[in-house]
Amino acid sequence: MKLGSPSRPRLLSALLISIFLGSAPATPAQERGELRIATSYKLMTLDPHYANLNENTSLLSHIYERLVYQDENLELKPGLATSWRPLSDTQWAFKLRDKVRFHDGSAFDADDVVYTIERIRDFLKPPSGGFRSYVSGIKSVSAPDPLTVLIETDGAVPNLPLFFSSLFVMNRPAEGFETTEDLNAGHPPNGTGPYRFESWSSGESLRLARNDDYWGGKPAWSKVTFRVIENPAARVAALSTGEVDVADAIPARDVASLKQRGARVASVGAARVNFVQFDVARDTLPGVTDKSGEPIANPFKNPLVRRALTLATDRGILVDKILAGYGTAAAQVFPNGLPGTSANLLPEAPNYDEAKMLLAKAGFPDGFNLVLAGPAGRYPGDAESLQAVAQSWARIGVNAQPAAAPFSVFNTKRAAGDYGVWYGGTSGEAVDIILHTLLASPDPERGTGALNFGKYRNEAFDAMLARAESIAVGPERNAALAQATELVMADQPIIPLYHFHHIVGYGSRIGSYVLHPRGWTTAMQTLPAME
């Protein structure tokens, strides 16, 4: 993202903090009625702890809040917690914000934080991608007074505050734990956020009303309606005709035409990665055959094959053509320059001759056939990326049949093992979070590998990552994470493709839209136009 002047980053940082923490109340001239947002995010549940997916964390952030907030530089800022400090290697104290109330009028206090942690750690049995890994290292949590939370961990967890930047705080009920089924069946979500829950129709809409008693100041919009429009062209059309005020996940190819029709566009580089992931565990794979269609032994177990496919992937086409420049070619899990990234890992230009030699050395001189699966409409350029990668791989004799499906279908089939190689994407609070969930060996007890659907295992990498995670946040930790990343990427368990840019369009009722690299879509980012 280009910035107009050296002072712009500081101003943007302050604005983002005020917007997301609600500390910039609307003036009377700014107050507006209903804000209409067309979103690609299909809210799957009203349980804020069930699944760690952007569609849930983004939309539910109107209702619930976190102890810690992460700004646009991925730095930690006070949320419901005003401060935190380590008491020892295994003990932390969090001081909470006073005079905060839930939507039902009950006071927020330390007991609600205790309940939140215990619900995630001890009660929920979520699918892959849940939040348990963030609290699995917590041995005990207590509330010595209403505004203090003491946490004891099993071992050193130097980035515990970072974990809390992902956890929404729930109100403790009179007894027991609220179930996901209860929340989805009509128990009104009860948070401390700037908007109150009104109604939800799964896959269609979420309606919210302003929380006039919000601790951070009165929000600008009296009503907010999210319309789920999964088709990108339909979102663009809704914005162009004025049916909605804001539309997220705008395809890069539509930016110019939107601007011509009077809409404005905001964009920012995403703290995420899109990639190709291999199943390296099973002996044979669905959809992977020789050229005659006969099943073959899993070729992706051989690092030479993974390296060959990496060298045969043209990232430049993906970024320049499919993303129309609204993206950055990737060689690791976060864009270069962010904390924990390696300056030594840079995207490579395709080298088809070397790729062919590696395939031949691996025993596949004529290549092989495969089905390359992926979601359609989930990420910018996802279906087109499947086609482009398939065309690149065809140049070395690997015939890839693209198989794009709606994300819900794709996700179910991937979890069921129906694919041998697929395109995917993930985001996270920090480099180590993605390394921990995407590339570390699957281990339910340690909470690692929740998104490692390929079942990749590398003991040396696991040890390096564990060492990095034991270091306090700072330059030494960042260097250790960079070294661990270099080690694992040399083995190519995934092919990083690109870091796309989040693009949001907005109409005349909107004064400005402030984007966050985590890709959230919220009313709090949307400032009304001045009269």
Side-chain angles (χ1 to χ4, degrees), residues 401-416:
Q401 176 186 346
F407 180 71
S408 58
V409 175
F410 164 77
N411 200 34
T412 299
K413 288 190 172 185
R414 179 178 59 179

Side-chain angles (χ1 to χ4, degrees), residues 21 39 85 119 141 150 187 190 260 300 442-443 524 530:
L21 295 184
T39 181
R85 64 188 179 94
R119 183 175 188 264
V141 54
L150 294 181
H187 284 204
N190 184 28
Q260 289 175 355
F300 308 129
D443 186 338
M524 294 81 79
M530 299 295 290

Side-chain angles (χ1 to χ4, degrees), residues 28 37 68 178 181 183 194 217 225 238 257 292 389 429 465 477 490-491:
I37 300 177
V68 180
E178 284 191 279
E181 292 74 19
L183 286 167
T225 297
S257 63
S292 65
V389 171
E429 304 85 345
L465 179 59
R477 180 189 181 93
D491 206 23

